[in-house]
């Protein structure tokens, strides 16, 4: 397995491998770039089929965090960690404590948070070994589940896209198709329903769809029909790589704005959306609410000041301005919105230290 010559390596600063025979921990921590600050990113636990698959995932995810922090205007770098294993079968408090020891070896250069397969409880176990963890429980002076804040950010970015593309300042009567009614998707639906949007929803778990129909008046849609709904906005809130050759052709929505990470199957799909005049609100720009939330938790613990929810909400609302500046830049430069976001982020985290400080 190659590391330095890996196609996803992209000048990572540090990639460390950990194993603990006693707890069964097998983990990789990747720090992509710390030019703007310590690398903050979640810990994913997944039953990877191979070590190579785990390495690829951690490298892609940690680099993505560098872009997300930079575009969001946070003094943070990008990092991520993966634990190889099935979280439902092999996760134990001891294993998470061993992960905490691994994080501690970075001495604060990497700050861990929850991700797929890990929870607030797991962050509490990690906290027993290192203070470089965020998303711990509120009674441990953390900020708890970041998903409602992520949903608020997605909603903010979506409204910015609606204003830009549809020239509307509200969502009343707007038709929105939501794929995935999990922690973020369901909270997003609640915000949309409250402001009068009409919802079209799908999920692999029928009980979630039934609840959205009952509580929010959403229309249930079959899994594969979600792309072709005659709606204004498509909001992917489940899986990555769902914007591809097959699905893009069937989209009727004029806007794509959702929470899922890595929605574009390949970079060229951003161009394909642009050619079809579908405005894509880049995923990492509008799903940064959770990162903003945990950053303020980190800051409050580092400074001893209390966690200020109003500050978090004010920063999340800046996603509106950021999204609009990306839409404008894309139009001016004749490029996709995803490329415009990447360019702005790169200008920030790759600028020489002297000009960053100025
Ligand atoms: P979640 O696991 O709570 O929800 C995902 C939902 O998608 C589940 O209800 C699941 O049943 C459903 N689903 C899975 N496969 C599906 C399919 N083929 N079709 C339709 N539905 C399907 O996850 P979440 O925390 O809500 O996150 C959703 C997405 O947003 C993920 O891609 C995640 O990486 C991203 N994200 C989440 C956060 C956060 O704060 N939770 C932050 C940034 C990005």
């Amino acid at each position: 397995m190659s590391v330095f010559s890996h196609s996803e390596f992209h000048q990572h600063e540090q990639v460390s491998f950990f194993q603990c025979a006693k707890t069964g921990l097998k983990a990789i921590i990747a720090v992509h770039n710390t030019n703007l600050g310590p690398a903050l990113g979640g810990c994913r636990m997944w039953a990877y089929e191979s070590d190579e698959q785990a390495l690829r995932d951690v490298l892609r995810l940690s680099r993505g965090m560098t872009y997300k922090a930079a575009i969001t205007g946070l003094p943070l770098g990008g990092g991520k960690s993966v634990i190889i294993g099935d979280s439902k079968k092999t996760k134990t408090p001891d294993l998470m404590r061993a992960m905490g020891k691994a994080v501690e070896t970075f001495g604060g250069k990497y700050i861990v948070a929850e991700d797929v397969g890990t929870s607030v409880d797991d962050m509490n176990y990690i906290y027993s070994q290192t203070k470089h963890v965020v998303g711990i429980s509120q009674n441990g002076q953390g900020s708890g589940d970041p998903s409602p804040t992520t949903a608020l950010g997605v909603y903010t970015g979506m409204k910015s896209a609606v204003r830009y593309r549809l020239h509307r300042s509200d969502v009343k009567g707007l038709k929105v198709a939501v794929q995935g009614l999990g922690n973020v998707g369901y909270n997003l639906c609640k915000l949309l329903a409250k402001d009068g949007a009409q919802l079209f929803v799908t999920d692999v778990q029928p009980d979630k769809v039934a609840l959205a129909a009952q509580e929010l008046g959403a229309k249930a849609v079959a899994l594969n029909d979600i792309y072709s709904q005659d709606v204004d906005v498509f909001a992917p809130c489940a899986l990555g790589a769902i914007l591809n050759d097959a699905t893009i052709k069937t989209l009727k929505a004029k806007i794509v704005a959702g929470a899922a990470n890595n929605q574009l199957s390949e970079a060229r799909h951003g161009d394909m959306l642009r050619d079809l005049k579908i405005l894509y609100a880049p995923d990492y720009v509008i799903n940064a609410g959770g990162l903003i939330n945990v950053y303020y938790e980190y800051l409050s613990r580092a400074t001893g000041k209390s966690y200020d929810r109003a500050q978090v909400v004010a920063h999340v609302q800046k996603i509106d301005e950021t999204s609009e500046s990306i839409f404008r830049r894309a139009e001016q430069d004749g490029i996709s919105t995803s490329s415009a976001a990447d360019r702005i982020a790169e200008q920030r985290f790759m600028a020489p230290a002297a000009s960053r400080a100025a």
Side-chain angles (χ1 to χ4, degrees):
M1 183 170 66
S2 61
V3 180
F4 290 112
S5 56
H6 197 287
S7 59
E8 301 290 347
F9 188 70
H10 295 289
Q11 297 178 307
H12 264 74
E13 286 178 15
Q14 187 171 349
V15 182
S16 300
F17 297 76
F18 298 86
Q19 81 101 31
C20 168
K22 203 165 130 220
T23 61
L25 178 77
K26 274 176 81 180
I28 311 173
I29 300 179
V31 168
H32 174 246
N33 187 291
T34 56
N35 284 352
L36 296 177
L40 196 157
C43 172
R44 178 166 292 191
M45 183 159 183
W46 193 256
Y48 293 103
E49 280 165 19
S50 64
D51 297 353
E52 156 62 25
Q53 214 184 56
L55 178 66
R56 175 172 295 276
D57 208 27
V58 78
L59 292 175
R60 291 191 68 216
L61 291 165
S62 69
R63 180 166 174 253
M65 291 306 294
T66 302
Y67 283 77
K68 191 187 290 201
I71 203 81
T72 309
L74 292 170
L76 293 172
K80 202 88 180 183
S81 54
V82 295
I83 299 178
I84 300 169
D86 184 337
S87 63
K88 293 197 178 73
K89 293 185 187 150
T90 57
K91 193 167 72 178
T92 60
D94 278 346
L95 181 128
M96 294 314 299
R97 286 187 201 104
M99 186 63 191
K101 285 186 185 150
V103 171
E104 177 63 14
T105 64
F106 280 74
K109 187 177 178 185
Y110 171 63
I111 303 159
V112 66
E114 68 172 276
D115 198 79
V116 177
T118 59
S119 64
V120 173
D121 284 347
D122 297 326
M123 295 309 114
N124 289 338
Y125 295 127
I126 288 180
Y127 187 49
S128 70
Q129 307 298 319
T130 180
K131 61 180 193 301
H132 306 299
V133 51
V134 286
I136 60 171
S137 60
Q138 281 168 324
N139 57 15
Q141 295 180 342
S143 59
D145 178 10
S147 307
T149 317
T150 301
L152 179 65
V154 173
Y155 186 43
T156 305
M158 185 187 289
K159 284 194 290 189
S160 180
V162 166
R163 204 176 55 239
Y164 196 83
R165 177 71 177 82
L166 303 176
H167 313 292
R168 289 185 48 162
S169 58
D170 64 48
V171 300
K172 202 167 173 21
L174 197 82
K175 293 182 183 162
V176 183
V178 181
Q179 179 184 49
L181 299 170
N183 294 323
V184 182
Y186 204 87
N187 278 303
L188 175 66
C189 285
K190 284 204 245 176
L191 294 169
L192 282 160
K194 190 167 145 279
D195 288 347
Q198 284 182 58
L199 298 170
F200 299 75
V201 299
T202 197
D203 197 290
V204 286
Q205 299 181 55
D207 53 324
K208 292 187 174 174
V209 177
L211 189 68
Q214 194 198 339
E215 266 194 351
L216 309 172
K219 183 173 182 283
V221 173
L223 284 176
N224 288 332
D225 293 345
I226 196 72
Y227 304 102
S228 59
Q229 290 302 300
D230 192 2
V231 292
D232 302 292
V233 182
F234 170 50
C237 297
L239 313 165
I242 42 75
L243 297 171
N244 52 47
D245 291 341
T247 59
I248 291 175
K249 271 188 255 165
T250 68
L251 288 178
K252 294 200 182 79
K254 293 185 182 66
I255 292 167
V256 176
N261 278 315
N262 301 325
Q263 290 168 29
L264 299 174
S265 179
E266 293 168 43
R268 68 183 174 84
H269 292 115
D271 301 318
M272 198 168 159
L273 289 167
R274 178 175 177 270
D275 293 344
L276 291 168
K277 300 196 168 21
I278 298 171
L279 181 63
Y280 171 59
D283 45 18
Y284 70 82
V285 177
I286 70 166
N287 74 13
L291 177 66
I292 294 169
N293 191 49
V294 293
Y295 167 71
Y296 282 96
E297 172 189 330
Y298 162 74
L299 198 64
S300 80
R301 297 214 323 264
T303 59
K305 291 186 187 152
S306 55
Y307 163 80
D308 184 352
R309 179 73 193 156
Q311 239 182 341
V312 173
V313 172
H315 200 136
V316 169
Q317 279 161 353
K318 288 189 195 159
I319 290 177
D320 178 12
E321 211 180 292
T322 306
S323 303
E324 190 171 320
S325 65
I326 289 163
F327 303 150
R328 288 197 191 289
R329 171 83 178 259
E331 209 171 308
Q332 275 161 15
D333 293 1
I335 56 174
S336 66
T337 52
S338 42
S339 300
D342 288 354
R343 280 187 190 177
I344 297 170
E346 282 162 6
Q347 273 164 4
R348 291 186 185 165
F349 77 80
M350 289 179 11
S355 69
R356 281 199 305 274

